[in-house]
Amino acid sequence: MTASVLDRIASLRIVPVVVVGGADEGTNLADALVAGGLPVAEITLRLPGAMDAIAAVADSHPGVLVGAGTVVNAAQVDQVVEAGASFIVSPGTFEPVIRRAQEHGVPILPGVATASDVMRALDLGVEVVKLFPASVVGGPAAIKALSAPFPHVRFMPTGGVNAANLHDYLDLPSVIAAGGSWMVERPLVTSGDWAEITRRTAEAVALAAPKAASTDVEG
Protein backbone atom coordinates (compact mmCIF):
# COMPACT_ATOMS: atom_id res chain seq x y z
CA MET A 1 0.00 0.00 0.00
CA THR A 2 2.75 2.42 0.94
CA ALA A 3 4.53 2.12 -2.39
CA SER A 4 1.33 2.49 -4.43
CA VAL A 5 0.20 5.58 -2.51
CA LEU A 6 3.59 7.24 -2.79
CA ASP A 7 3.77 6.35 -6.49
CA ARG A 8 0.41 8.03 -7.01
CA ILE A 9 1.53 11.14 -5.15
CA ALA A 10 4.63 11.22 -7.33
CA SER A 11 2.52 10.94 -10.48
CA LEU A 12 0.26 13.82 -9.41
CA ARG A 13 3.26 16.02 -8.50
CA ILE A 14 1.23 18.44 -6.34
CA VAL A 15 -0.52 17.79 -3.03
CA PRO A 16 -2.99 20.55 -2.08
CA VAL A 17 -2.66 21.35 1.62
CA VAL A 18 -6.20 22.04 2.69
CA VAL A 19 -7.82 23.67 5.72
CA VAL A 20 -11.48 22.65 5.85
CA GLY A 21 -13.97 22.14 8.62
CA GLY A 22 -16.83 19.70 8.27
CA ALA A 23 -18.14 17.23 5.75
CA ASP A 24 -19.72 19.75 3.38
CA GLU A 25 -16.55 21.80 2.94
CA GLY A 26 -14.57 18.60 2.46
CA THR A 27 -16.79 17.15 -0.25
CA ASN A 28 -17.22 20.46 -2.06
CA LEU A 29 -13.48 20.96 -2.07
CA ALA A 30 -12.92 17.44 -3.35
CA ASP A 31 -15.37 18.12 -6.18
CA ALA A 32 -13.44 21.28 -7.08
CA LEU A 33 -10.07 19.52 -7.03
CA VAL A 34 -11.34 16.65 -9.18
CA ALA A 35 -12.82 19.12 -11.65
CA GLY A 36 -9.42 20.77 -11.86
CA GLY A 37 -7.70 17.45 -12.53
CA LEU A 38 -6.04 16.94 -9.15
CA PRO A 39 -7.66 14.08 -7.17
CA VAL A 40 -5.59 14.40 -3.99
CA ALA A 41 -5.76 16.45 -0.81
CA GLU A 42 -3.90 16.68 2.47
CA ILE A 43 -6.61 17.77 4.90
CA THR A 44 -4.89 19.31 7.90
CA LEU A 45 -6.14 18.82 11.44
CA ARG A 46 -6.30 22.54 12.08
CA LEU A 47 -10.06 22.90 12.43
CA PRO A 48 -12.44 20.93 14.67
CA GLY A 49 -14.33 19.51 11.69
CA ALA A 50 -11.26 18.26 9.82
CA MET A 51 -11.81 14.64 10.84
CA ASP A 52 -15.38 14.78 9.51
CA ALA A 53 -14.06 16.24 6.26
CA ILE A 54 -11.56 13.39 5.86
CA ALA A 55 -14.27 10.81 6.48
CA ALA A 56 -16.69 12.48 4.08
CA VAL A 57 -14.16 12.70 1.25
CA ALA A 58 -12.97 9.13 1.79
CA ASP A 59 -16.56 7.90 1.69
CA SER A 60 -17.91 10.01 -1.18
CA HIS A 61 -14.84 10.26 -3.41
CA PRO A 62 -13.13 6.84 -3.61
CA GLY A 63 -11.02 8.10 -6.50
CA VAL A 64 -9.53 10.91 -4.44
CA LEU A 65 -6.34 10.21 -2.50
CA VAL A 66 -7.18 11.83 0.82
CA GLY A 67 -4.49 12.32 3.43
CA ALA A 68 -4.34 13.80 6.90
CA GLY A 69 -1.89 16.55 7.77
CA THR A 70 -0.70 18.21 10.98
CA VAL A 71 -0.81 14.82 12.71
CA VAL A 72 1.22 15.26 15.90
CA ASN A 73 0.43 12.30 18.15
CA ALA A 74 -0.35 8.59 17.98
CA ALA A 75 -4.00 9.05 18.97
CA GLN A 76 -4.54 11.26 15.95
CA VAL A 77 -3.00 8.58 13.76
CA ASP A 78 -5.64 6.13 14.97
CA GLN A 79 -8.40 8.67 14.34
CA VAL A 80 -7.40 9.63 10.80
CA VAL A 81 -6.89 6.02 9.78
CA GLU A 82 -10.36 5.18 11.09
CA ALA A 83 -11.72 8.17 9.16
CA GLY A 84 -10.25 6.76 5.95
CA ALA A 85 -7.00 8.66 5.38
CA SER A 86 -4.76 7.00 2.78
CA PHE A 87 -1.60 8.77 3.91
CA ILE A 88 -0.41 10.83 6.86
CA VAL A 89 1.75 13.94 6.99
CA SER A 90 3.36 15.23 10.17
CA PRO A 91 5.18 18.53 10.74
CA GLY A 92 8.07 16.77 12.47
CA THR A 93 9.91 13.48 12.84
CA PHE A 94 8.27 12.02 15.95
CA GLU A 95 8.77 8.33 16.60
CA PRO A 96 5.38 7.57 18.24
CA VAL A 97 3.55 9.02 15.24
CA ILE A 98 5.71 7.20 12.71
CA ARG A 99 5.52 3.87 14.53
CA ARG A 100 1.75 4.02 14.87
CA ALA A 101 1.30 4.82 11.18
CA GLN A 102 3.54 1.88 10.33
CA GLU A 103 1.48 -0.38 12.58
CA HIS A 104 -1.58 0.61 10.57
CA GLY A 105 0.27 0.10 7.29
CA VAL A 106 -0.46 3.67 6.21
CA PRO A 107 2.37 5.68 4.59
CA ILE A 108 3.62 8.63 6.58
CA LEU A 109 5.68 11.60 5.44
CA PRO A 110 7.32 13.10 8.53
CA GLY A 111 8.57 16.65 8.51
CA VAL A 112 12.32 17.23 8.39
CA ALA A 113 14.36 20.40 8.54
CA THR A 114 17.88 19.13 9.27
CA ALA A 115 20.23 16.26 8.50
CA SER A 116 19.58 14.92 11.99
CA ASP A 117 15.85 14.78 11.22
CA VAL A 118 16.55 12.83 8.05
CA MET A 119 18.76 10.39 9.96
CA ARG A 120 15.99 9.79 12.50
CA ALA A 121 13.51 9.18 9.70
CA LEU A 122 15.82 6.71 8.02
CA ASP A 123 16.41 4.92 11.32
CA LEU A 124 12.64 4.50 11.58
CA GLY A 125 12.43 3.06 8.07
CA VAL A 126 11.12 6.16 6.30
CA GLU A 127 12.73 7.31 3.05
CA VAL A 128 10.12 9.81 1.81
CA VAL A 129 9.93 12.91 3.98
CA LYS A 130 8.36 16.34 4.02
CA LEU A 131 10.79 19.27 4.02
CA PHE A 132 9.05 21.74 6.32
CA PRO A 133 8.78 24.65 6.40
CA ALA A 134 10.54 24.49 3.06
CA SER A 135 11.00 28.18 2.36
CA VAL A 136 12.28 28.84 5.89
CA VAL A 137 14.81 26.00 6.10
CA GLY A 138 16.54 26.64 2.78
CA GLY A 139 14.14 25.73 -0.02
CA PRO A 140 15.56 23.98 -3.09
CA ALA A 141 19.12 24.62 -1.90
CA ALA A 142 18.40 22.68 1.30
CA ILE A 143 17.08 19.72 -0.68
CA LYS A 144 20.16 19.71 -2.90
CA ALA A 145 22.41 19.83 0.16
CA LEU A 146 20.56 17.05 2.00
CA SER A 147 20.44 14.88 -1.11
CA ALA A 148 24.23 14.66 -1.20
CA PRO A 149 24.65 12.59 2.00
CA PHE A 150 21.21 10.98 1.64
CA PRO A 151 20.88 10.12 -2.08
CA HIS A 152 18.03 7.64 -1.59
CA VAL A 153 15.79 10.00 0.38
CA ARG A 154 12.86 11.59 -1.47
CA PHE A 155 11.25 14.87 -0.46
CA MET A 156 7.85 16.53 -0.57
CA PRO A 157 8.62 20.18 0.21
CA THR A 158 5.79 22.09 1.87
CA GLY A 159 5.63 25.61 3.25
CA GLY A 160 6.13 28.60 1.00
CA VAL A 161 5.68 26.61 -2.21
CA ASN A 162 3.72 28.56 -4.82
CA ALA A 163 3.20 28.84 -8.55
CA ALA A 164 6.28 31.03 -8.98
CA ASN A 165 8.74 28.63 -7.37
CA LEU A 166 7.03 25.29 -8.00
CA HIS A 167 9.46 24.09 -10.64
CA ASP A 168 12.44 25.11 -8.53
CA TYR A 169 11.37 22.15 -6.42
CA LEU A 170 9.80 19.77 -8.92
CA ASP A 171 12.81 19.89 -11.23
CA LEU A 172 14.99 18.38 -8.49
CA PRO A 173 15.31 14.59 -8.98
CA SER A 174 14.87 13.89 -5.27
CA VAL A 175 11.49 15.65 -5.09
CA ILE A 176 8.46 13.39 -5.65
CA ALA A 177 5.84 16.15 -5.28
CA ALA A 178 5.29 19.53 -3.66
CA GLY A 179 2.69 20.47 -1.10
CA GLY A 180 0.99 23.82 -1.58
CA SER A 181 -2.09 25.77 -0.62
CA TRP A 182 -2.22 28.59 -3.16
CA MET A 183 -4.97 26.90 -5.15
CA VAL A 184 -7.08 26.11 -2.05
CA GLU A 185 -6.63 29.20 0.11
CA ARG A 186 -8.96 29.28 3.09
CA PRO A 187 -10.88 32.43 2.01
CA LEU A 188 -11.86 30.66 -1.21
CA VAL A 189 -13.29 27.81 0.86
CA THR A 190 -15.18 30.00 3.32
CA SER A 191 -16.68 32.04 0.50
CA GLY A 192 -17.64 28.91 -1.41
CA ASP A 193 -15.74 29.97 -4.51
CA TRP A 194 -15.31 26.44 -5.76
CA ALA A 195 -15.06 27.59 -9.37
CA GLU A 196 -11.96 29.63 -8.55
CA ILE A 197 -10.43 26.68 -6.73
CA THR A 198 -11.06 24.55 -9.81
CA ARG A 199 -9.52 27.22 -12.05
CA ARG A 200 -6.41 27.55 -9.89
CA THR A 201 -6.13 23.80 -9.60
CA ALA A 202 -6.24 23.31 -13.36
CA GLU A 203 -3.56 25.97 -13.75
CA ALA A 204 -1.41 24.26 -11.11
CA VAL A 205 -1.78 20.87 -12.81
CA ALA A 206 -0.70 22.34 -16.14
CA LEU A 207 2.20 24.15 -14.49
CA ALA A 208 3.38 21.03 -12.68
CA ALA A 209 3.49 18.90 -15.81
CA PRO A 210 7.00 17.63 -16.51
CA LYS A 211 8.88 19.82 -18.91
CA ALA A 212 9.17 18.25 -22.33
CA ALA A 213 12.67 17.32 -23.37
CA SER A 214 14.04 19.44 -26.14
CA THR A 215 13.76 17.90 -29.59
CA ASP A 216 15.69 20.57 -31.39
CA VAL A 217 18.27 19.22 -33.81
CA GLU A 218 21.09 21.35 -35.00
CA GLY A 219 21.26 21.50 -38.72
Side-chain angles (χ1 to χ4, degrees):
M1 175 181 177
T2 296
S4 62
V5 169
L6 294 176
D7 286 346
R8 189 170 175 201
I9 289 174
S11 70
L12 294 169
R13 292 173 64 81
I14 306 176
V15 175
V17 181
V18 178
V19 179
V20 290
D24 288 344
E25 283 190 355
T27 54
N28 285 328
L29 183 90
D31 285 340
L33 290 173
V34 169
L38 192 57
V40 60
E42 174 195 330
I43 297 177
T44 65
L45 302 186
R46 299 182 188 180
L47 293 179
M51 209 70 69
D52 292 335
I54 292 171
V57 174
D59 181 61
S60 64
H61 292 72
V64 173
L65 189 63
V66 58
T70 324
V71 176
V72 298
N73 58 57
Q76 288 179 332
V77 174
D78 294 337
Q79 292 166 355
V80 300
V81 171
E82 183 177 356
S86 297
F87 65 97
I88 294 169
V89 184
S90 182
T93 303
F94 187 44
E95 182 172 353
V97 170
I98 294 172
R99 291 296 191 203
R100 187 62 61 86
Q102 292 170 333
E103 289 170 6
H104 284 290
V106 175
I108 179 165
L109 292 84
V112 302
T114 67
S116 295
D117 292 339
V118 175
M119 290 169 69
R120 281 194 291 272
L122 289 171
D123 187 57
L124 292 166
V126 177
E127 293 188 349
V128 182
V129 297
K130 162 187 172 178
L131 185 75
F132 180 79
S135 63
V136 175
V137 301
I143 294 175
K144 291 177 184 178
L146 289 169
S147 295
F150 308 113
H152 300 300
V153 173
R154 296 295 175 261
F155 297 87
M156 185 177 78
T158 305
V161 179
N162 53 49
N165 62 21
L166 180 63
H167 268 285
D168 293 341
Y169 291 101
L170 291 183
D171 290 348
L172 298 175
S174 58
V175 169
I176 69 163
S181 59
W182 76 93
M183 75 292 288
V184 289
E185 291 176 328
R186 181 64 185 158
L188 297 175
V189 175
T190 56
S191 66
D193 196 349
W194 311 115
E196 176 63 10
I197 291 175
T198 293
R199 187 191 70 78
R200 292 190 186 188
T201 299
E203 284 187 349
V205 169
L207 179 64
K211 295 179 179 178
S214 174
T215 57
D216 292 342
V217 178
E218 291 185 7

